[in-house]
Amino acid sequence: MKREGTASDKHNAALAAVPPPLPQMATLVDEPIAGKPQSTSSSEISTLMSEVLHKENLKQALERVKRNKGAPGIDGMTVDELGAHLKANWPGIRAQLVAGTYQPKPVRRVEIPKPDGRKRLLGIPTVTDRFIQQALAQIVQRQWEPHFHPNSYGFRPGRNAHQAMRHAQATIRQGYGWVVDIDLEAFFDRVNHDRLMVRVRQHVTGTDVLKLINRFLKGGVQVNGQKQATTQGVPQGGPLSPVLANVVLDELDWALERQGHRFARYADDCNIFVKSKRAGERLMQNVTRYLRDSLRLTVNANKSAVDRPANRKFLGFTVSKRGARIKVADKAIDKLKDTIRELTRRTRGRRLVDIVQELKTALTGWKAYFGIAEVLSPLREIDKWVRRRLRCYAWKQWGSAGYRELRKRGVSVREAWNTSKSAHGPWRLSKTPALNLALPAKLFRQMGLPELARARAA
C-alpha cells in the first residue's frame, strides 16, 4: 500500500505481502535444547533471568503488585498476604525459577458482562504468579521497548490514552478525514502461542526466560474447580499479558508504517486514518486479510467500520464534526450517568453529604481521564443533571419537613408552601425555583462536588 492520496489502483497493495515470514523456532521453548540438560544450575542461568531475579527488579515488582491490588487466584491468597508468603518461601521459589522447574498455577476464570450482552473472560493468576509475571514483564518490556512503534500508546512507560487521542486528532486535522476503525474479535483469547513465542524471541534471548513465559501461557485455567488447558490466548488479568499483546500487534504497526499509513493504536484498539472512503474500504479489506493470514487474528466485522471520525469512538472519545475538537463519546457519558443514578437512588437512606462524597470520588476519577475533552456542552448538562439528582434526593429525605427545610434556606413563605403542598413528585419538584434557591450550585461546590465542565486548576 502506498501513502494515502495517490490515484493509482496499487494504492493499497495487500498487507499480507508486507512482512516476510518469520523463521520457525527449531524447538519449543518448553523442551530441552539439544546438548543441554533440562535443569539449570544457578551459574548457568541466562543474563536475562539474572535480571528478572535481581533484587531491585523484584522489589519493584512486589510494589507494583501491591499497588494494583486485585482479587485472589485459585489458592485464595490475597495481595496483603503476599509479602509474608514470599519471606517464608522465596528461597524455594527462586530455586525452582533458576532450575527451570517452576510451574505456574492455573488462572481463575472470571466473567465480566459487556454492554452488548456478551462476557469478557478474565484470568486471575495467584498473587505469587502475578509477582513473578510482573518481574518478567518488566524485563521483557525493557528488551522490547526500543523496538516498539512510536504510534503504539497502550501499556508503555510514559505513554497513555490521552496521547493516543491527541495524535489521532492531529492526524484528522491534517486532512485525513476518514478512519478505518479496527476491532479485533476476542483478541486476548485468540493469540497464537507459537507465533507469539517466535516474536518474543526476537529480543528476548534467554532460553530459561522464554521457557517460563511459555509456561505462563500454557498454565491452564480453572473453571468450576476443573483445570482446562490453554492452547491459545494471553489471559487478561495477568501483568505479562499487556506487553505480550504489544509484541503481537507491533508487527501490524510496522506493516502499516512501511506502507506510509497514519494510525494510532492503544492495545488492541487501532484507528487508521485515510483521505477517502474508497481508500479506507480497500485498506479495511487488506488489513483484515493480513491479520487473518499473517497474525491469525479475526477482525470483528460488526464492530469495525470505515467512517467519519466524528461517527466513531476511540478510547472513550470522539471528535466534533467541525474542527475535530475532542469530546466524550456518548457511550462513556451514558455509563457515567448509570453510575450517578446508582449513587443517588432516593431509597439509599444516607446523608446528602455522604452521597456527595461518593459522587466526588466517582466524578474526580472520571474527570481525570475525560478532562481533556474540548467540547464542554455535554459536560455542562451532566453537571446540571447531577445537581438536580441531589435536589431530588434531598427533597425525598426531607419528607414532611420539606416546608421547614425550604424556609430555613431562605425560600419565601409562598414558594415554600406551594412547593411543599404540590402534588408533583420529587423529580418534577427538583427543578423548581424553590429547590434551586435552597440547594444552589454554590452549596454543592462547598460540599466538594466536582464540576465536569469546570477547568482543572493549573
Side-chain angles (χ1 to χ4, degrees), residues 137-433:
Q138 289 165 185
I139 300 304
V140 174
Q141 181 82 41
R142 190 183 307 162
Q143 297 298 113
W144 267 87
E145 184 59 29
H147 308 283
F148 284 140
H149 194 282
N151 289 8
S152 167
Y153 292 93
F155 308 115
R156 295 181 61 190
R159 290 170 171 266
N160 55 48
H162 290 175
Q163 294 170 340
M165 188 59 212
R166 291 197 185 281
H167 177 81
Q169 179 190 39
T171 305
I172 295 165
R173 286 178 169 175
Q174 290 169 5
Y176 293 81
W178 290 84
V179 61
V180 181
D181 187 356
I182 302 292
D183 185 276
L184 293 174
E185 189 169 346
F187 166 72
F188 284 90
D189 301 328
R190 295 187 178 181
V191 170
N192 182 277
H193 286 175
D194 291 339
R195 206 171 194 292
L196 169 59
M197 292 308 302
V198 171
R199 287 285 294 170
V200 173
R201 192 177 186 179
Q202 289 186 353
H203 301 295
V204 177
T205 55
T207 303
D208 45 4
V209 173
L210 290 167
K211 176 180 179 180
L212 184 57
I213 293 172
N214 200 51
R215 284 190 172 178
F216 273 114
L217 289 175
K218 299 185 183 302
V221 58
Q222 185 165 295
V223 182
N224 298 324
Q226 299 295 318
K227 179 180 176 180
Q228 297 179 3
T230 47
T231 58
Q232 63 179 1
V234 288
Q236 286 181 271
L240 193 55
S241 297
V243 66
L244 294 182
N246 274 337
V247 168
V248 172
L249 292 174
D250 181 68
E251 196 169 351
L252 170 65
D253 296 343
W254 288 107
L256 292 169
E257 170 69 24
R258 284 190 290 270
Q259 301 305 314
H261 287 292
R262 308 295 187 93
F263 68 96
R265 183 178 65 79
Y266 189 98
D268 59 332
D269 200 346
C270 184
N271 275 193
I272 312 167
F273 300 94
V274 294
K275 290 185 175 179
S276 71
K277 183 177 182 180
R278 183 182 175 189
E281 289 171 344
R282 288 198 299 265
L283 181 57
M284 174 68 82
Q285 292 175 359
N286 293 335
V287 171
T288 299
R289 183 166 56 250
Y290 169 73
L291 288 168
R292 181 193 65 214
D293 296 344
S294 294
L295 301 192
R296 304 181 193 178
L297 297 171
T298 302
V299 171
N300 187 332
N302 293 327
K303 291 189 174 182
S304 301
V306 177
D307 207 340
R308 293 290 190 180
N311 298 330
R312 305 297 295 178
K313 65 182 181 68
F314 182 49
L315 305 174
F317 297 97
T318 186
V319 294
S320 62
K321 293 182 179 179
R322 291 187 179 181
R325 292 186 299 154
I326 297 174
K327 61 185 292 188
V328 182
D330 290 344
K331 284 188 178 181
I333 289 179
D334 291 342
K335 188 174 180 180
L336 173 65
K337 293 180 79 170
D338 287 342
T339 299
I340 294 169
R341 286 189 186 96
E342 181 62 27
L343 292 177
T344 56
R345 277 188 297 110
R346 286 173 283 176
T347 56
R348 292 194 67 197
R350 303 194 63 188
R351 296 183 307 163
L352 183 65
V353 66
D354 294 330
I355 299 297
V356 170
Q357 288 306 304
E358 291 182 5
L359 283 171
K360 179 180 179 180
T361 300
L363 295 176
T364 300
W366 194 91
K367 187 174 181 178
Y369 182 78
F370 288 103
I372 67 167
E374 298 164 339
V375 178
L376 299 182
S377 51
L379 305 186
R380 293 191 189 99
E381 291 304 312
I382 293 180
D383 286 333
K384 294 177 183 177
W385 182 75
V386 170
R387 291 192 291 267
R388 187 177 175 188
R389 295 281 305 183
L390 290 172
R391 292 179 185 118
C392 179
Y393 185 91
W395 182 253
K396 180 71 174 179
Q397 276 204 327
W398 289 344
S400 60
Y403 175 81
R404 292 194 302 273
E405 295 291 341
L406 290 175
R407 290 290 293 130
K408 280 196 306 184
R409 289 163 172 78
V411 179
S412 68
V413 171
R414 181 175 180 177
E415 284 288 348
W417 179 263
N418 288 340
T419 303
S420 62
K421 297 303 179 182
S422 172
H424 294 303
W427 181 244
R428 177 79 173 269
L429 294 176
S430 65
K431 202 175 182 181
T432 59

Side-chain angles (χ1 to χ4, degrees), residues 51-125:
E51 292 182 25
V52 172
L53 299 177
H54 191 276
K55 180 179 178 181
E56 286 303 314
N57 188 58
L58 294 174
K59 180 181 178 182
Q60 183 182 349
L62 181 59
E63 291 173 351
R64 185 73 174 268
V65 170
K66 287 183 175 179
R67 184 166 64 247
N68 290 344
K69 300 184 183 298
I74 63 172
D75 61 358
M77 185 186 302
T78 66
V79 171
D80 294 335
E81 298 169 321
L82 178 59
H85 173 75
L86 292 176
K87 188 174 182 179
N89 297 281
W90 178 244
I93 296 172
R94 187 185 187 282
Q96 293 177 42
L97 291 169
V98 168
T101 59
Y102 183 81
Q103 293 289 347
K105 289 183 171 60
V107 298
R108 180 168 65 87
R109 171 60 48 83
V110 175
E111 296 181 348
I112 306 297
K114 298 173 72 172
D116 59 6
R118 297 184 301 167
K119 294 181 179 179
R120 174 177 285 111
L121 302 180
L122 299 185
I124 309 299

